[in-house]
């Protein structure tokens, strides 16, 4: 593969959204986890907004049974819009939910076999192009957004990139961690290895993988015949590790904040943090928090 091919523009993004969301039951019994709102936007909307900011054109949702609400969120709601229009309501509030016809594609992951398998399910749509991956549970807040920062780095070095964040050393055993190589800049580092949930004393760094990726299409061939890894699932990390040394592989240190919305505490933290930044509700929310803390 030539360096020219490894710098093809990033036009497509895969969103693995087939998970069952069991940590949020019973809320997720009938509603996809990705549709749970942070204030007035569902989690998936924040990820899609981030993708659009980065210039991504085609959204590929890897879905499962009971996930149709995710697709419907980005569809045109004729009755709703007509009612709002008749009542003189501003439709601008729905602008972020509009997708150009043909720019949203869904594929099914019939059996939950891990993140690597979910990505592999999108192989026919990805084709021979490099592509981005968004894990919507990982809510990344920054300006520019995480994926925009990664695309800018990709335009510089090409190849494969992962987003990383620096965490206290005591926390590294809970995450996938990179072994850093040459430092290209303050935010860009070569990756020499990936280690899944290492012991604190054995961790090669305190830089954790944080839910955003830009990968070359060869990763699909790696996943094709890959056996099960940790947890009895097909792991994306295993496929990426096999690509290191064969293609350029870098980590982009995200300049922004990450909220783990796959956990209940992280979900609440994201909601409060974003509410405190909004002019229309910050004062009221701050007053509520003070009152609750005083009780």
């Amino acid at each position: 593969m030539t360096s020219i091919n490894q710098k093809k523009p990033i036009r497509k993004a895969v969103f693995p959204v087939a998970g069952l969301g069991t940590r949020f039951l019973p809320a997720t019994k009938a509603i996809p986890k990705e549709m749970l709102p942070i204030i007035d936007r569902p989690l998936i909307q924040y990820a899609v907004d981030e993708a659009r900011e980065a210039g991504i054109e085609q959204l590929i949702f890897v879905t499962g049974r009971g996930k149709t609400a995710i697709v419907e969120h980005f569809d045109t709601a004729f009755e709703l819009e007509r009612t709002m229009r008749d009542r003189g309501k501003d439709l601008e509030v729905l602008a972020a939910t509009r997708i150009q016809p043909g720019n949203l594609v869904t594929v099914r992951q019939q059996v939950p076999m891990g993140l690597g398998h979910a990505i592999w399910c999108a192989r026919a749509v990805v084709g021979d192009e490099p592509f981005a991956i968004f894990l919507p549970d990982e809510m990344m807040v920054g300006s520019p957004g995480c994926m925009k920062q990664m695309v800018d780095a990709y335009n510089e070095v090409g190849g494969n990139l992962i987003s990383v964040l620096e965490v206290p050393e005591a926390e590294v055993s809970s995450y996938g961690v990179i072994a850093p190589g040459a430092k290209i800049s303050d935010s860009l580092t070569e990756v020499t290895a990936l280690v899944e949930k290492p012991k604190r004393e054995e961790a090669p760094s305190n830089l954790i993988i944080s839910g955003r990726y830009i990968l070359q299409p060869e990763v699909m061939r790696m996943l094709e015949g890959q056996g099960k890894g940790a947890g009895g699932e097909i792991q994306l990390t295993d496929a990426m590790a096999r690509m290191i040394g064969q293609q350029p592989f870098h980590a982009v240190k995200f300049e922004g904040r990450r909220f783990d919305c796959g956990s209940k505490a992280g979900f609440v933290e994201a909601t409060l943090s974003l509410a405190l930044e909004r002019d229309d509700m910050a004062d009221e929310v701050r007053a509520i928090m003070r009152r609750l803390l005083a009780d």
Side-chain angles (χ1 to χ4, degrees):
M1 186 187 217
T2 68
S3 59
I4 293 176
N5 287 333
Q6 291 179 6
K7 282 194 176 181
K8 284 183 177 179
I10 307 301
R11 303 186 310 112
K12 300 179 180 181
V14 177
F15 299 78
V17 292
L20 299 175
T22 53
R23 282 190 283 180
F24 281 85
L25 285 171
T28 51
K29 180 181 178 181
I31 299 172
K33 173 184 59 178
E34 296 81 10
M35 288 301 297
L36 296 178
I38 301 293
I39 308 176
D40 52 9
R41 290 193 175 203
L43 267 176
I44 189 65
Q45 183 71 66
Y46 289 95
V48 166
D49 291 346
E50 183 186 330
R52 286 165 153 175
E53 180 198 19
I56 288 168
E57 301 168 5
Q58 189 170 54
L59 313 176
I60 307 164
F61 290 172
V62 182
T63 66
R65 289 174 58 84
K67 294 282 187 166
T68 55
I70 298 175
V71 178
E72 289 172 1
H73 175 73
F74 294 102
D75 200 354
T76 300
F78 294 102
E79 298 86 352
L80 172 64
E81 294 190 13
R82 179 169 181 173
T83 300
M84 290 179 66
R85 193 176 291 110
D86 290 346
R87 295 178 180 178
K89 301 286 187 180
D90 186 1
L91 296 182
E92 182 61 26
V93 70
L94 298 175
T97 69
R98 302 184 192 283
I99 301 290
Q100 286 284 353
N103 283 8
L104 192 156
V105 180
T106 66
V107 298
R108 279 288 185 108
Q109 182 186 25
Q110 288 92 347
V111 182
M113 293 178 59
L115 177 58
H117 181 261
I119 300 306
W120 178 78
C121 288
R123 64 198 182 282
V125 186
V126 168
D128 63 352
E129 295 188 40
F131 62 103
I133 300 172
F134 289 77
L135 306 188
D137 278 2
E138 302 274 351
M139 185 175 177
M140 312 294 268
V141 178
S143 184
C146 182
M147 187 53 65
K148 179 64 167 65
Q149 294 179 31
M150 293 182 69
V151 168
D152 289 346
Y154 170 83
N155 291 335
E156 178 183 347
V157 297
N160 305 273
L161 295 97
I162 52 178
S163 168
V164 296
L165 288 168
E166 196 169 1
V167 299
E169 291 184 1
E171 298 179 14
V172 294
S173 61
S174 299
Y175 301 98
V177 178
I178 72 161
K183 190 172 183 179
I184 309 302
S185 66
D186 288 342
S187 61
L188 189 60
T189 305
E190 286 186 353
V191 177
T192 61
L194 302 172
V195 184
E196 189 65 30
K197 297 182 179 179
K199 295 180 180 178
R200 176 179 178 179
E201 61 274 12
E202 297 175 0
S205 74
N206 66 336
L207 295 172
I208 66 165
I209 304 171
S210 56
R212 300 291 185 274
Y213 313 77
I214 292 175
L215 298 178
Q216 296 297 319
E218 281 75 16
V219 74
M220 295 299 189
R221 290 199 283 275
M222 297 289 183
L223 291 166
E224 180 78 36
Q226 182 172 296
K228 296 178 181 179
E233 297 182 332
I234 298 173
Q235 298 292 345
L236 179 62
T237 301
D238 293 342
M240 293 192 300
R242 292 165 60 196
M243 295 174 71
I244 295 174
Q246 298 185 28
Q247 295 181 352
F249 217 110
H250 293 84
V252 180
K253 188 176 178 182
F254 173 47
E255 298 297 328
R257 291 170 294 153
R258 163 191 175 265
F259 298 100
D260 178 10
C261 291
S263 74
K264 296 172 186 176
F267 195 91
V268 172
E269 181 186 10
T271 301
L272 290 175
S273 180
L274 268 63
L276 290 172
E277 295 175 5
R278 286 182 46 156
D279 294 339
D280 63 335
M281 59 191 307
D283 291 343
E284 186 176 359
V285 171
R286 192 172 286 109
I288 292 170
M289 293 173 66
R290 288 187 181 127
R291 185 171 69 250
L292 293 173
L293 291 171
D295 290 344

